Amino acid sequence: MNTDPSILSIENLSIAYDKDKLAVKNVSATIKKNAITAIMGPSGCGKTTLLRAINRMHELYPNISTEGKIKLYDENIYDMSTIKLRRKVGMVFQRPNPFPTLSIYENVIAGYKLNGINLKRSERDEIVETSLKNVALWEEVKNSLHKKGNFLSGGQQQRLCIARTLAFKPDVILLDEPTSALDPIATAKIEDLLVDLKQNYTIVLVTHNMTQAARISDNSMYMYLGELIEYDETTQIFTNPKHTSTQNYITGRFG
Amino acid sequence: MRQLEQELTSLRHDVIDMWKLVISQVSNSGEAILSFDKELAQKVSMRERKVDAYELKIDSECENIIALHQPVAIDLRFVLAVFKINSNLERIADFAYGISRMLIANPSVILDAELITNTNVRVMISEVNKMLTQGLDAFENEKSNFAAAIFSEDYQVDEINNNAARIVADYIQKNPDRAFECLQLIAAIRKLERIGDHCSNIAEEIFFYIDAKVLKHASKK
Ligand SMILES: Nc1ncnc2c1ncn2[C@@H]1O[C@H](COP(=O)(O)OP(=O)(O)OP(=O)(O)O)[C@@H](O)[C@H]1O
Ligand SMILES: [Mg+2]
């Protein structure tokens, strides 16, 4: 693997929803800055759990136990406030989920409202415009900013959700299967967007779509039964994976 | 079975069948040189079209697999290797065909036994046959080490080719009336040397497919 600077460092992370069953088993990995890292693996292997642990969303489950560390730069995220952490590490979900009662404009700055952060009107305008421009949605919605987002297509809604995440100016964006509910054209637009965004952000992407991981990620992780089996440059994973289990998965010979 | 696996299996069968056909083309044309067997040469010549048909079929199978199934890892290396092996086999068959055409076009040419012995052409023919068979063995059994000897055999074939000009020139000086058949023999030797080169390319593809090693343009000796 190349030696570009890393931003996140996951150290011996184990997570259990119930005492005796580990969903993530002793995973260690460093994540490169300004790169797209894909997490692949069969259903139930722990991708979502690992991804959510990066901004401590997994703590929403009451019985969860977590061991190990995740460092953002040099700071252990488990020593940070979740508010601070989630400003730096944003999350985009599988299904586009704009707030249905809010306008497009309010959706983009919803994070500030929810966290009780007051902004001047001019600041808000500026954040809304840059965030929507960053996701290439500005031209399409600039005349309907104060309408509700429900007239938007699925792909546009997902871009709106990414804009909502970008509005917080995070360092890292986590995406859990962000295109699984989208058609190929909308998917291609999101993929192009992610590749553009990596100039300024670090992206971690859970995907079931292996060709998507191959197309846009720089590094790929393959997880199986909670373990990180293989983690390498994406070209290496897709041309000559080291582990038979990775090879079986990516060539579709799994199970 | 998955669709892709079926396609890969049928591609494998086709390339193996083509390989066997090419082996028989090369061994028949070699035999035809040594025994001045025009009928055998005729047989090689007639089967050339069959080789071409395989080449087209395999090309289009590779293209379809890549377009429709986006193979990765060992599957991708397999398809890429087959794609190149296919064109190398086709070139090899072309040289065998060239030898057979030469024999057919000049039915009265008979090579002197002394010349055959001195040039080592018999060894050359058996070496290229061996190289082709070893390649097929390695490919069929997915054992790259079966193909390892091909590189040194190619070296030996090159040596025979390099020495041939001197030997034939000496022979022509002593037997100026036989210059024409000597030129024919030199042309055949050149073709056998090219066959050796293509076998060596095939061996590289086998290493790439099985071991993911790129040997191309690297020193193997
Ligand atoms: N809320 C929960 N309570 C208990 N167990 C859970 C919970 N969520 C997930 N698990 C278990 O943890 C393991 C990892 O689940 P996770 O959702 O991280 O997998 P995943 O790789 O994201 O799967 P998918 O590809 O289906 O989204 C699974 O065995 C799952 O059953
Ligand atoms: Mg999941």
Side-chain angles (χ1 to χ4, degrees):
Chain A
M1 184 139 353
N2 60 30
T3 52
D4 295 346
S6 60
I7 179 164
L8 281 165
S9 150
I10 302 170
E11 296 173 13
N12 304 103
L13 186 75
S14 293
I15 299 172
Y17 288 93
D18 304 306
K19 287 235 156 31
D20 44 324
K21 206 183 141 258
L22 288 173
V24 170
K25 290 183 197 163
N26 197 24
V27 167
S28 296
T30 57
I31 293 190
K32 299 275 173 278
K33 196 172 187 299
N34 296 112
I36 301 180
T37 301
I39 308 178
M40 304 183 289
S43 194
C45 72
K47 304 181 294 296
T48 296
T49 309
L50 176 62
L51 190 76
R52 285 168 163 252
I54 301 176
N55 79 347
R56 294 176 57 184
M57 288 281 220
H58 72 303
E59 291 174 5
L60 299 176
Y61 299 99
N63 296 325
I64 203 128
S65 63
T66 308
E67 267 178 53
K69 280 188 215 172
I70 298 180
K71 287 199 217 148
L72 177 64
Y73 294 111
D74 278 327
E75 207 175 341
N76 187 350
I77 64 165
Y78 294 101
D79 299 333
M80 278 184 209
S81 77
T82 51
I83 293 178
K84 179 179 168 198
L85 173 64
R86 287 175 198 158
R87 285 194 67 160
K88 293 191 172 182
V89 182
M91 170 83 79
V92 175
F93 298 92
Q94 176 172 14
R95 302 218 158 254
N97 58 345
F99 299 110
T101 58
L102 302 184
S103 68
I104 291 172
Y105 185 100
E106 290 164 328
N107 256 289
V108 177
I109 48 158
Y112 289 93
K113 278 250 171 72
L114 290 175
N115 285 291
I117 300 165
N118 286 316
L119 297 172
K120 280 193 241 129
R121 169 98 210 200
S122 60
E123 284 175 319
R124 284 205 305 263
D125 288 351
E126 141 85 47
I127 289 173
V128 168
E129 184 172 340
T130 15
S131 306
L132 289 172
K133 278 185 174 159
N134 276 337
V135 298
L137 198 58
W138 177 250
E139 288 304 318
E140 290 155 69
V141 303
K142 66 180 178 198
N143 297 320
S144 6
L145 287 178
H146 298 287
K147 287 191 198 154
K148 295 201 176 86
N150 51 13
F151 72 93
L152 297 173
S153 71
Q156 289 172 322
Q157 289 186 26
Q158 193 60 304
R159 279 187 277 154
L160 177 58
C161 294
I162 296 174
R164 189 172 68 198
T165 305
L166 296 184
F168 251 172
K169 305 194 174 79
D171 293 325
V172 180
I173 308 172
L174 309 173
L175 302 105
D176 198 349
E177 300 182 49
T179 60
S180 62
L182 304 181
D183 70 57
I185 292 172
T187 297
K189 283 194 182 158
I190 299 279
E191 289 180 1
D192 288 348
L193 170 63
L194 295 179
V195 172
D196 288 344
L197 288 176
K198 80 171 176 181
Q199 311 266 334
N200 299 311
Y201 304 90
T202 299
I203 294 171
V204 185
L205 167 77
V206 166
T207 181
H208 274 289
N209 181 337
M210 278 182 283
T211 55
Q212 175 169 77
R215 276 192 299 272
I216 66 171
S217 72
D218 301 285
N219 296 309
S220 295
M221 295 186 184
Y222 171 67
M223 291 182 73
Y224 182 58
L225 297 176
E227 287 180 61
L228 178 56
I229 304 291
E230 188 161 353
Y231 179 29
D232 209 331
E233 286 174 14
T234 300
T235 44
Q236 184 69 25
I237 297 272
F238 282 90
T239 56
N240 187 24
K242 295 198 180 55
H243 293 258
T244 320
S245 142
T246 316
Q247 170 140 302
N248 288 344
Y249 182 73
I250 61 164
T251 59
R253 288 186 178 79
F254 190 81
Chain B
M1 219 198 306
R2 283 180 326 136
Q3 190 58 31
L4 172 59
E5 234 162 307
Q6 279 178 22
E7 307 272 338
L8 293 173
T9 307
S10 101
L11 178 60
R12 170 182 292 273
H13 287 314
D14 283 339
V15 77
I16 289 171
D17 288 348
M18 176 185 187
W19 212 314
K20 289 178 178 160
L21 175 62
V22 172
I23 289 175
S24 89
Q25 290 290 82
V26 170
S27 90
N28 283 339
S29 64
E31 186 58 37
I33 300 178
L34 297 174
S35 57
F36 330 111
D37 189 336
K38 308 294 175 308
E39 248 172 68
L40 201 52
Q42 199 69 52
K43 192 172 153 192
V44 172
S45 171
M46 274 159 50
R47 291 206 298 184
E48 163 68 4
R49 268 213 218 133
K50 215 174 151 186
V51 177
D52 290 345
Y54 268 118
E55 192 210 7
L56 292 176
K57 178 161 192 259
I58 290 169
D59 255 2
S60 92
E61 281 178 279
C62 291
E63 190 183 335
N64 288 342
I65 290 174
I66 291 172
L68 305 178
H69 300 281
Q70 291 103 34
V72 295
I74 191 161
D75 296 343
L76 177 65
R77 299 201 306 271
F78 175 77
V79 176
L80 292 177
V82 166
F83 190 72
K84 293 201 196 165
I85 289 172
N86 183 38
S87 77
N88 278 290
L89 286 175
E90 191 274 335
R91 296 293 295 135
I92 290 172
D94 263 359
F95 290 118
Y97 173 72
I99 291 171
S100 76
R101 293 308 304 170
M102 236 164 58
L103 293 168
I104 294 163
N106 307 291
S108 59
V109 170
I110 291 198
L111 293 174
D112 187 338
E114 180 199 331
L115 194 54
I116 288 181
T117 313
N118 291 349
T119 53
N120 253 339
V121 65
R122 194 182 295 278
V123 176
M124 203 176 192
I125 289 168
S126 86
E127 285 301 294
V128 298
N129 280 320
K130 192 158 78 182
M131 289 159 86
L132 268 171
T133 316
Q134 285 166 336
L136 177 57
D137 251 12
F139 181 87
E140 273 194 287
N141 296 297
E142 295 177 37
K143 292 255 193 295
S144 56
N145 60 316
F146 289 9
I150 292 175
F151 302 117
S152 58
E153 286 153 359
D154 184 35
Y155 182 72
Q156 203 188 339
V157 167
D158 287 349
E159 282 292 286
I160 296 174
N161 173 56
N162 293 339
N163 297 333
R166 183 77 263 144
I167 295 163
V168 172
D170 289 349
Y171 182 88
I172 293 175
Q173 273 187 339
K174 284 182 231 146
N175 310 276
D177 55 318
R178 311 202 73 167
F180 182 74
E181 65 174 77
C182 286
L183 291 177
Q184 297 282 304
L185 177 64
I186 283 290
I189 287 174
R190 293 286 181 262
K191 291 183 166 65
L192 290 166
E193 187 273 329
R194 298 295 295 131
I195 291 177
D197 289 346
H198 286 284
C199 288
S200 183
N201 291 348
I202 289 175
E204 288 169 357
E205 294 308 322
I206 291 170
F207 276 91
F208 166 72
Y209 151 47
I210 298 167
D211 299 343
K213 282 199 194 115
V214 179
L215 298 183
K216 213 174 217 152
H217 310 304
S219 167
K220 291 142 217 148
K221 280 146 205 164

